[in-house]
Amino acid sequence: MLTLAIGIGGGLGVGLANYLAEAVATAVCVWLEQQGSIHRFIPGTAPFAEHPPSNVLAVGLPYIPLYYAISLGWTAFGQRAALDFNPLSIWSFVTVAMLCHDAWFFTLHTLFHKIRRLYKHIHSMHHQLGASCSALGNAYADAVDVGLCFVGFHAALYVYLYHQPTWNPLAVVALIVVEVMTNIVGHCGYQLPYWLHLLVTGGVGILPNTANSKTHYIHHLQPQYNRALYFIHWDYVSGTYRNSVKALK
């Protein structure tokens, strides 16, 4: 019963934390826009505002099985946790993990757009955002979509870490935070200055092949382009990368 409670609490806790991050990011974007520091890519488009419970459940429900599995194996897994405060070590782990996750996401995301049934029943909900993309729309998606694209990768990462001699909890937490913030950046709908992009991506944004807020916004305007999430190299190789479209000119 305890492991089940941890699974449910952990999953819903992730969903709630993600929603709070989206809400804070939305408030910050609105404030910065009022200060004249940032602007919408398409002026006059109202940012998407979604009812909170659906955000929490879309993210939280798919994570329940993963947290349940982690709680079952925690006795052995927890004993191998080794805190390492070395920022370079943490940054390296986050960067490599995001590179792997980006390949995972690009593959599944492309299939969602290529196979009509998958798009219709799983992914089309997320594309209702269109030009109204906002931080609160980040998790406006089917729970199956979130489960396959995000929980699936994190489950694979857990299996990998479970079989390592040690693992660094700080690096894992940093990965989750940076991924959430990078996803929010990709859906905010605002042109962000480089320094802010670099800050919210935990320094990963310093890499030349990193996607920015415009990259994924273009995908929501024209879904045949920019199907990766964190980086641009897969789209570049596949011929689906675009740095601009007519709607932004």
Side-chain angles (χ1 to χ4, degrees):
M1 287 297 293
L2 178 60
T3 54
L4 179 60
I6 293 174
I8 295 174
L12 295 182
V14 168
L16 179 59
N18 182 79
Y19 170 70
L20 291 175
E22 292 173 346
V24 170
T26 298
V28 171
C29 284
V30 170
W31 181 78
L32 288 174
E33 184 180 24
Q34 292 172 345
Q35 305 305 308
S37 300
I38 63 175
H39 61 272
R40 299 281 300 172
F41 282 110
I42 301 180
T45 54
F48 182 83
E50 191 213 347
H51 196 257
S54 60
N55 282 57
V56 174
L57 295 177
V59 176
L61 291 179
Y63 274 99
I64 290 176
L66 176 56
Y67 274 83
Y68 176 67
I70 292 174
S71 66
L72 287 176
W74 182 254
T75 300
F77 187 55
Q79 289 178 348
R80 296 196 295 275
L83 293 177
D84 181 359
F85 293 88
N86 185 334
L88 182 58
S89 174
I90 294 174
W91 184 86
S92 299
F93 174 85
V94 170
T95 302
V96 171
M98 288 181 70
L99 285 166
C100 293
H101 191 182
D102 201 53
W104 176 292
F105 181 89
F106 179 81
T107 302
L108 289 174
H109 194 197
T110 297
L111 289 176
F112 287 162
H113 282 279
K114 292 289 187 181
I115 302 174
R116 292 184 179 181
R117 286 180 177 270
L118 293 180
Y119 182 82
K120 178 180 179 181
H121 298 291
I122 297 177
H123 194 55
S124 61
M125 176 182 176
H126 187 60
H127 274 278
Q128 293 173 17
L129 295 173
S132 65
C133 265
S134 74
L136 281 176
N138 176 50
Y140 185 71
D142 191 291
V144 176
D145 194 340
V146 175
L148 292 173
C149 289
F150 295 94
V151 184
F153 174 78
H154 291 150
L157 179 63
Y158 166 65
V159 172
Y160 168 77
L161 292 176
Y162 188 88
H163 290 89
Q164 300 307 303
T166 61
W167 62 283
N168 184 8
L170 294 177
V172 174
V173 171
L175 172 66
I176 294 172
V177 171
V178 172
E179 284 196 339
V180 168
M181 296 308 299
T182 304
N183 283 326
I184 289 176
V185 164
H187 291 88
C188 70
Y190 288 92
Q191 177 73 55
L192 302 182
Y194 178 72
W195 67 266
L196 184 56
H197 171 74
L198 193 62
L199 177 64
V200 298
T201 58
V204 176
I206 198 173
L207 298 177
N209 61 329
T210 307
N212 55 37
S213 58
K214 184 169 72 170
T215 309
H216 197 67
Y217 188 74
I218 288 175
H219 174 70
H220 278 272
L221 295 177
Q222 295 189 233
Q224 68 269 35
Y225 302 131
N226 298 358
R227 290 174 177 165
L229 190 57
Y230 305 128
F231 302 95
I232 64 173
H233 52 268
W234 291 112
D235 280 299
Y236 189 82
V237 171
S238 302
T240 53
Y241 174 70
R242 294 294 184 277
N243 187 46
S244 185
V245 291
K246 288 184 179 180
L248 297 179
K249 294 179 180 179

